[in-house]
Amino acid sequence: MINNIIGHENTKKQLAIAVKSAEDRNKNIPHLLFSGAAGCGKTTMGIEMAKSADVDFLPVSPDDFSDREPVMRILDKLNHVNYDERGNRTGPLKPTMVFVDEIHRMPKKGQEILGIAMEKFLLETGKANKYYWIPFFTLIGATTDDGELSKPFREKFKLRFLFETYSNQEITAMVLMHAQMKELLITQKAAREIAQRSRGIPRTAVGFLERSRDYSHFIKANVITSKAVLDNFKTIGIDSKGLTGAEIKILKTLHTSREPIGLDNLAIVSNEAKKNLSHTIEPFLIRQGLMIRSGKGRVITGKGRQHLEKDGYLGDSINKVEISPGYVRR
Ligand SMILES: Nc1ncnc2c1ncn2[C@@H]1O[C@H](COP(=O)(O)OP(=O)(O)OP(=O)(O)O)[C@@H](O)[C@H]1O
Ligand SMILES: [Mg+2]
């Protein structure tokens, strides 16, 4: 059973089947590729899988697969128990899970050497047609940039899973689970408020939970309440949709402009770097339906204007107090 992972029911089922089959055949689990957005559970799934299969988990940097010697040093760390000197199995195996994060960064040479190891469980000796045997192992590759992997290397991974953002409900469940793991008391409503601002990303939710804990500790409260959570979000400048000050600034700029604004101008007006705007800030706003990129430039949507209105970004902070004509100002 794969624990501590909310959602991914289908993935967990497929992985449980693969674990059972590997045990029964006394072989390794097929190599796995986890791709998708940052902070959405790839590393956690790898760790939890190794736990559930009761095998070693060996995290390795892609840069360490630079040449034959370093690869050999890594593969030396695989579980060698229950093989004879020629690599034949002599008992039940516990094939190590090797976890390589950001695997698309692995040098080409490393991919070639590792590719043979993954398929044939052999390693080049450096002499023509001479190989060393290596123990069975499972490679788990994680990547935020699936498209960067070469096709032949990608195809060595027989099971491939996509990690996307989660629903509010799933994130709420994660907040409650992580609170329990950290022995924190939190109300359901507070967990929902955190989830609503986490953009579907577990790492963001866990980070917000920790900041809410710190805030509650600061105000000497034993339970994390929705009031504490909301006060803290105000302090750190995160709004009801999880937008940051920089994102709000963009929306407000678009709101006040009569014309669509091109990237160059938006960068100048908002004082944000162009790359940051187009790669980080805009995609989320567009996905949320708050703005669009049209041929003529960037435009705020009706939903975007509504959001500014609702969260009180449009009202002036002055002239809100009614003053009678006879009042004398100091
Ligand atoms: N499905 C999930 N259920 C419960 N907690 C989760 C889930 N996915 C992620 N988390 C939690 O979110 C945090 C980030 O997850 P993790 O480090 O596994 O993401 P990642 O996909 O490996 O990110 P990166 O691409 O940045 O390496 C961890 O604290 C993890 O426990
Ligand atoms: Mg990770």
Side-chain angles (χ1 to χ4, degrees):
M1 248 278 282
I2 295 165
N3 295 318
N4 297 332
I5 304 270
I6 308 265
H8 290 290
E9 297 313 322
N10 209 318
T11 306
K12 283 192 283 192
K13 191 165 172 189
Q14 291 186 57
L15 293 177
I17 293 168
V19 169
K20 176 81 175 76
S21 163
E23 256 173 30
D24 291 352
R25 292 180 303 119
N26 200 25
K27 285 270 298 261
N28 62 302
I29 296 159
H31 305 301
L32 307 164
L33 186 66
F34 295 163
S35 52
C40 286
K42 301 182 293 297
T43 304
T44 311
M45 183 70 94
I47 293 171
E48 293 298 325
M49 251 200 100
K51 272 198 224 157
S52 87
D54 192 27
V55 298
D56 293 338
F57 182 78
L58 178 67
V60 190
S61 158
D63 309 320
D64 292 346
F65 292 84
S66 52
D67 212 336
R68 201 171 56 83
E69 291 290 321
V71 173
M72 185 144 58
R73 277 197 293 277
I74 295 164
L75 298 179
D76 263 348
K77 295 186 192 147
L78 299 176
N79 184 0
H80 281 66
V81 174
N82 283 341
Y83 294 92
D84 68 15
E85 69 279 8
R86 296 188 61 80
N88 299 306
R89 289 169 281 175
T90 58
L93 303 184
K94 288 280 178 199
T96 305
M97 286 191 181
V98 181
F99 184 84
V100 184
D101 215 346
E102 299 302 331
I103 194 160
H104 58 269
R105 288 198 342 230
M106 186 181 292
K108 278 274 164 322
K109 176 98 189 173
Q111 291 186 21
E112 279 166 25
I113 299 166
L114 189 60
I116 298 173
M118 288 164 77
E119 257 178 9
K120 304 198 171 122
F121 299 96
L122 293 174
L123 183 69
E124 294 170 353
T125 56
K127 292 184 214 140
N129 287 323
K130 292 268 184 272
Y131 292 87
Y132 298 119
W133 69 270
I134 49 179
F136 293 109
F137 67 98
T138 300
L139 187 74
I140 306 180
T143 175
T144 46
D145 203 346
D146 199 342
E148 281 290 303
L149 283 181
S150 72
K151 194 159 175 266
F153 190 48
R154 191 174 188 278
E155 282 173 358
K156 304 253 166 14
F157 298 90
K158 296 299 173 223
L159 294 175
R160 301 189 278 259
F161 300 99
L162 189 61
F163 286 69
E164 291 174 307
T165 51
Y166 296 75
S167 70
N168 264 352
Q169 224 177 357
E170 287 171 324
I171 299 278
T172 306
M174 280 177 215
V175 171
L176 293 170
M177 187 186 84
H178 281 265
Q180 198 174 21
M181 283 169 17
K182 294 177 174 23
E183 299 187 353
L184 301 172
L185 295 175
I186 183 168
T187 65
Q188 287 272 347
K189 181 144 188 273
R192 279 201 302 273
E193 297 288 3
I194 290 177
Q196 190 189 318
R197 290 161 178 80
S198 300
R199 304 164 171 237
I201 301 171
R203 178 171 300 133
T204 306
V206 173
F208 284 160
L209 173 66
E210 286 166 356
R211 296 189 77 168
S212 305
R213 170 203 59 200
D214 296 347
Y215 183 80
S216 300
H217 180 73
F218 183 71
I219 59 168
K220 297 196 168 50
N222 294 326
V223 180
I224 303 173
T225 62
S226 58
K227 175 161 185 336
V229 166
L230 293 180
D231 287 348
N232 185 49
F233 276 125
K234 198 174 245 171
T235 312
I236 62 181
I238 301 286
D239 82 359
S240 70
K241 276 188 185 291
L243 302 188
T244 62
E247 288 156 339
I248 288 299
K249 194 167 64 178
I250 298 302
L251 283 184
K252 281 167 88 171
T253 307
L254 296 178
H255 173 75
T256 42
S257 165
R258 286 172 195 283
E259 310 276 326
I261 309 182
L263 182 62
D264 286 330
N265 281 330
L266 192 57
I268 295 168
V269 179
S270 65
N271 217 358
E272 291 288 343
K274 274 202 285 190
K275 198 165 168 204
N276 190 32
L277 262 180
S278 61
H279 285 61
T280 314
I281 298 182
E282 288 183 352
F284 182 69
L285 295 177
I286 294 170
R287 255 183 276 127
Q288 292 294 304
L290 301 171
M291 63 168 278
I292 53 166
R293 283 180 193 158
S294 74
K296 289 187 189 138
R298 276 75 174 157
V299 182
I300 188 168
T301 59
K303 195 172 166 195
R305 289 187 206 276
Q306 265 171 20
H307 179 64
L308 290 180
E309 179 94 50
K310 186 174 141 271
D311 268 38
Y313 291 113
L314 299 182
D316 289 323
S317 54
I318 52 169
N319 297 339
K320 280 285 164 62
V321 180
E322 286 175 26
I323 295 172
S324 52
Y327 179 78
V328 180
R329 289 169 69 194
R330 274 178 290 147

mmCIF file of all heavy atoms in Angstrom, residues 115-136:
data_model
loop_
_atom_site.group_PDB
_atom_site.id
_atom_site.type_symbol
_atom_site.label_atom_id
_atom_site.label_comp_id
_atom_site.label_asym_id
_atom_site.label_seq_id
_atom_site.Cartn_x
_atom_site.Cartn_y
_atom_site.Cartn_z
ATOM 1 N N GLY A 115 21.272 3.686 -20.123
ATOM 2 C CA GLY A 115 20.285 3.017 -20.981
ATOM 3 C C GLY A 115 20.563 1.518 -21.086
ATOM 4 O O GLY A 115 19.652 0.696 -20.972
ATOM 5 N N ILE A 116 21.834 1.160 -21.279
ATOM 6 C CA ILE A 116 22.205 -0.267 -21.371
ATOM 7 C C ILE A 116 21.980 -0.941 -20.017
ATOM 8 O O ILE A 116 21.449 -2.044 -19.933
ATOM 9 C CB ILE A 116 23.693 -0.407 -21.797
ATOM 10 C CG1 ILE A 116 23.878 0.199 -23.185
ATOM 11 C CG2 ILE A 116 24.114 -1.882 -21.792
ATOM 12 C CD1 ILE A 116 25.315 0.279 -23.642
ATOM 13 N N ALA A 117 22.365 -0.232 -18.959
ATOM 14 C CA ALA A 117 22.177 -0.786 -17.609
ATOM 15 C C ALA A 117 20.693 -1.031 -17.331
ATOM 16 O O ALA A 117 20.315 -2.058 -16.768
ATOM 17 C CB ALA A 117 22.758 0.163 -16.568
ATOM 18 N N MET A 118 19.851 -0.095 -17.771
ATOM 19 C CA MET A 118 18.412 -0.218 -17.510
ATOM 20 C C MET A 118 17.797 -1.391 -18.262
ATOM 21 O O MET A 118 16.904 -2.059 -17.769
ATOM 22 C CB MET A 118 17.687 1.064 -17.931
ATOM 23 C CG MET A 118 17.927 2.254 -17.024
ATOM 24 S SD MET A 118 17.439 3.780 -17.840
ATOM 25 C CE MET A 118 15.645 3.718 -17.686
ATOM 26 N N GLU A 119 18.273 -1.612 -19.481
ATOM 27 C CA GLU A 119 17.658 -2.648 -20.318
ATOM 28 C C GLU A 119 18.257 -4.020 -20.085
ATOM 29 O O GLU A 119 17.557 -5.019 -19.980
ATOM 30 C CB GLU A 119 17.816 -2.265 -21.788
ATOM 31 C CG GLU A 119 16.530 -1.736 -22.341
ATOM 32 C CD GLU A 119 16.652 -1.304 -23.790
ATOM 33 O OE1 GLU A 119 17.695 -1.575 -24.432
ATOM 34 O OE2 GLU A 119 15.702 -0.707 -24.275
ATOM 35 N N LYS A 120 19.608 -4.048 -20.012
ATOM 36 C CA LYS A 120 20.275 -5.355 -19.971
ATOM 37 C C LYS A 120 20.890 -5.659 -18.619
ATOM 38 O O LYS A 120 21.403 -6.753 -18.409
ATOM 39 C CB LYS A 120 21.372 -5.389 -21.038
ATOM 40 C CG LYS A 120 20.842 -5.083 -22.448
ATOM 41 C CD LYS A 120 21.825 -5.542 -23.492
ATOM 42 C CE LYS A 120 21.210 -5.452 -24.878
ATOM 43 N NZ LYS A 120 22.001 -4.589 -25.764
ATOM 44 N N PHE A 121 20.902 -4.687 -17.730
ATOM 45 C CA PHE A 121 21.548 -4.833 -16.428
ATOM 46 C C PHE A 121 23.008 -5.261 -16.604
ATOM 47 O O PHE A 121 23.502 -6.170 -15.956
ATOM 48 C CB PHE A 121 20.748 -5.786 -15.521
ATOM 49 C CG PHE A 121 19.356 -5.244 -15.282
ATOM 50 C CD1 PHE A 121 18.285 -5.679 -16.067
ATOM 51 C CD2 PHE A 121 19.130 -4.247 -14.354
ATOM 52 C CE1 PHE A 121 17.012 -5.130 -15.900
ATOM 53 C CE2 PHE A 121 17.863 -3.696 -14.186
ATOM 54 C CZ PHE A 121 16.805 -4.138 -14.968
ATOM 55 N N LEU A 122 23.641 -4.557 -17.536
ATOM 56 C CA LEU A 122 25.065 -4.752 -17.821
ATOM 57 C C LEU A 122 25.732 -3.393 -17.886
ATOM 58 O O LEU A 122 25.101 -2.390 -18.215
ATOM 59 C CB LEU A 122 25.243 -5.437 -19.188
ATOM 60 C CG LEU A 122 24.759 -6.880 -19.322
ATOM 61 C CD1 LEU A 122 24.889 -7.344 -20.766
ATOM 62 C CD2 LEU A 122 25.548 -7.808 -18.386
ATOM 63 N N LEU A 123 27.041 -3.393 -17.596
ATOM 64 C CA LEU A 123 27.790 -2.141 -17.648
ATOM 65 C C LEU A 123 29.054 -2.364 -18.470
ATOM 66 O O LEU A 123 29.760 -3.370 -18.274
ATOM 67 C CB LEU A 123 28.160 -1.730 -16.221
ATOM 68 C CG LEU A 123 28.876 -0.406 -16.070
ATOM 69 C CD1 LEU A 123 27.937 0.754 -16.385
ATOM 70 C CD2 LEU A 123 29.408 -0.265 -14.648
ATOM 71 N N GLU A 124 29.345 -1.444 -19.377
ATOM 72 C CA GLU A 124 30.555 -1.570 -20.215
ATOM 73 C C GLU A 124 31.792 -1.622 -19.331
ATOM 74 O O GLU A 124 31.879 -0.895 -18.346
ATOM 75 C CB GLU A 124 30.680 -0.342 -21.125
ATOM 76 C CG GLU A 124 29.589 -0.220 -22.157
ATOM 77 C CD GLU A 124 29.631 1.135 -22.867
ATOM 78 O OE1 GLU A 124 30.424 1.998 -22.445
ATOM 79 O OE2 GLU A 124 28.859 1.309 -23.816
ATOM 80 N N THR A 125 32.748 -2.460 -19.711
ATOM 81 C CA THR A 125 34.001 -2.522 -18.937
ATOM 82 C C THR A 125 35.015 -1.538 -19.497
ATOM 83 O O THR A 125 36.005 -1.231 -18.846
ATOM 84 C CB THR A 125 34.637 -3.926 -19.035
ATOM 85 O OG1 THR A 125 34.808 -4.217 -20.435
ATOM 86 C CG2 THR A 125 33.783 -4.971 -18.373
ATOM 87 N N GLY A 126 34.801 -1.094 -20.704
ATOM 88 C CA GLY A 126 35.806 -0.253 -21.369
ATOM 89 C C GLY A 126 36.533 -1.075 -22.429
ATOM 90 O O GLY A 126 37.134 -0.533 -23.349
ATOM 91 N N LYS A 127 36.455 -2.415 -22.314
ATOM 92 C CA LYS A 127 37.029 -3.292 -23.344
ATOM 93 C C LYS A 127 35.913 -3.685 -24.307
ATOM 94 O O LYS A 127 34.763 -3.837 -23.874
ATOM 95 C CB LYS A 127 37.596 -4.568 -22.707
ATOM 96 C CG LYS A 127 38.807 -4.321 -21.838
ATOM 97 C CD LYS A 127 39.340 -5.667 -21.356
ATOM 98 C CE LYS A 127 39.902 -5.531 -19.959
ATOM 99 N NZ LYS A 127 39.608 -6.648 -19.089
ATOM 100 N N ALA A 128 36.276 -3.884 -25.577
ATOM 101 C CA ALA A 128 35.252 -4.174 -26.585
ATOM 102 C C ALA A 128 34.453 -5.420 -26.208
ATOM 103 O O ALA A 128 35.022 -6.461 -25.872
ATOM 104 C CB ALA A 128 35.916 -4.367 -27.942
ATOM 105 N N ASN A 129 33.136 -5.305 -26.260
ATOM 106 C CA ASN A 129 32.224 -6.423 -25.995
ATOM 107 C C ASN A 129 32.395 -7.117 -24.657
ATOM 108 O O ASN A 129 32.091 -8.297 -24.517
ATOM 109 C CB ASN A 129 32.323 -7.465 -27.114
ATOM 110 C CG ASN A 129 31.657 -6.941 -28.357
ATOM 111 O OD1 ASN A 129 30.625 -6.264 -28.281
ATOM 112 N ND2 ASN A 129 32.267 -7.213 -29.504
ATOM 113 N N LYS A 130 32.946 -6.398 -23.695
ATOM 114 C CA LYS A 130 33.066 -6.989 -22.348
ATOM 115 C C LYS A 130 32.241 -6.150 -21.387
ATOM 116 O O LYS A 130 32.342 -4.937 -21.352
ATOM 117 C CB LYS A 130 34.535 -6.993 -21.890
ATOM 118 C CG LYS A 130 35.414 -7.941 -22.680
ATOM 119 C CD LYS A 130 35.448 -9.301 -21.984
ATOM 120 C CE LYS A 130 36.382 -10.282 -22.674
ATOM 121 N NZ LYS A 130 35.728 -11.047 -23.746
ATOM 122 N N TYR A 131 31.429 -6.851 -20.601
ATOM 123 C CA TYR A 131 30.520 -6.156 -19.681
ATOM 124 C C TYR A 131 30.624 -6.725 -18.278
ATOM 125 O O TYR A 131 31.022 -7.882 -18.094
ATOM 126 C CB TYR A 131 29.065 -6.307 -20.159
ATOM 127 C CG TYR A 131 28.777 -5.577 -21.455
ATOM 128 C CD1 TYR A 131 28.997 -6.193 -22.691
ATOM 129 C CD2 TYR A 131 28.296 -4.279 -21.429
ATOM 130 C CE1 TYR A 131 28.744 -5.513 -23.875
ATOM 131 C CE2 TYR A 131 28.033 -3.598 -22.612
ATOM 132 C CZ TYR A 131 28.258 -4.210 -23.826
ATOM 133 O OH TYR A 131 28.013 -3.544 -24.990
ATOM 134 N N TYR A 132 30.275 -5.911 -17.297
ATOM 135 C CA TYR A 132 30.064 -6.402 -15.938
ATOM 136 C C TYR A 132 28.566 -6.600 -15.744
ATOM 137 O O TYR A 132 27.769 -5.833 -16.288
ATOM 138 C CB TYR A 132 30.498 -5.366 -14.899
ATOM 139 C CG TYR A 132 31.955 -4.990 -14.933
ATOM 140 C CD1 TYR A 132 32.345 -3.676 -15.179
ATOM 141 C CD2 TYR A 132 32.937 -5.954 -14.683
ATOM 142 C CE1 TYR A 132 33.682 -3.315 -15.183
ATOM 143 C CE2 TYR A 132 34.280 -5.599 -14.684
ATOM 144 C CZ TYR A 132 34.649 -4.282 -14.948
ATOM 145 O OH TYR A 132 35.957 -3.940 -14.959
ATOM 146 N N TRP A 133 28.179 -7.572 -14.943
ATOM 147 C CA TRP A 133 26.745 -7.660 -14.588
ATOM 148 C C TRP A 133 26.470 -6.705 -13.432
ATOM 149 O O TRP A 133 27.353 -6.413 -12.635
ATOM 150 C CB TRP A 133 26.329 -9.100 -14.234
ATOM 151 C CG TRP A 133 26.909 -9.615 -12.938
ATOM 152 C CD1 TRP A 133 28.080 -10.284 -12.776
ATOM 153 C CD2 TRP A 133 26.332 -9.479 -11.627
ATOM 154 N NE1 TRP A 133 28.296 -10.578 -11.467
ATOM 155 C CE2 TRP A 133 27.225 -10.094 -10.723
ATOM 156 C CE3 TRP A 133 25.166 -8.927 -11.132
ATOM 157 C CZ2 TRP A 133 26.985 -10.161 -9.361
ATOM 158 C CZ3 TRP A 133 24.923 -8.978 -9.765
ATOM 159 C CH2 TRP A 133 25.825 -9.590 -8.896
ATOM 160 N N ILE A 134 25.279 -6.221 -13.381
ATOM 161 C CA ILE A 134 24.878 -5.385 -12.244
ATOM 162 C C ILE A 134 23.540 -5.903 -11.704
ATOM 163 O O ILE A 134 22.781 -6.540 -12.443
ATOM 164 C CB ILE A 134 24.749 -3.884 -12.622
ATOM 165 C CG1 ILE A 134 23.927 -3.724 -13.879
ATOM 166 C CG2 ILE A 134 26.095 -3.226 -12.764
ATOM 167 C CD1 ILE A 134 23.739 -2.307 -14.288
ATOM 168 N N PRO A 135 23.259 -5.662 -10.429
ATOM 169 C CA PRO A 135 21.997 -6.168 -9.863
ATOM 170 C C PRO A 135 20.797 -5.508 -10.540
ATOM 171 O O PRO A 135 20.920 -4.417 -11.093
ATOM 172 C CB PRO A 135 22.055 -5.721 -8.393
ATOM 173 C CG PRO A 135 23.449 -5.305 -8.137
ATOM 174 C CD PRO A 135 24.040 -4.895 -9.442
ATOM 175 N N PHE A 136 19.664 -6.178 -10.475
ATOM 176 C CA PHE A 136 18.422 -5.555 -10.974
ATOM 177 C C PHE A 136 18.126 -4.318 -10.131
ATOM 178 O O PHE A 136 18.399 -4.287 -8.931
ATOM 179 C CB PHE A 136 17.255 -6.535 -10.874
ATOM 180 C CG PHE A 136 17.397 -7.702 -11.805
ATOM 181 C CD1 PHE A 136 17.675 -8.983 -11.318
ATOM 182 C CD2 PHE A 136 17.264 -7.522 -13.174
ATOM 183 C CE1 PHE A 136 17.817 -10.053 -12.182
ATOM 184 C CE2 PHE A 136 17.405 -8.589 -14.047
ATOM 185 C CZ PHE A 136 17.685 -9.855 -13.547
#
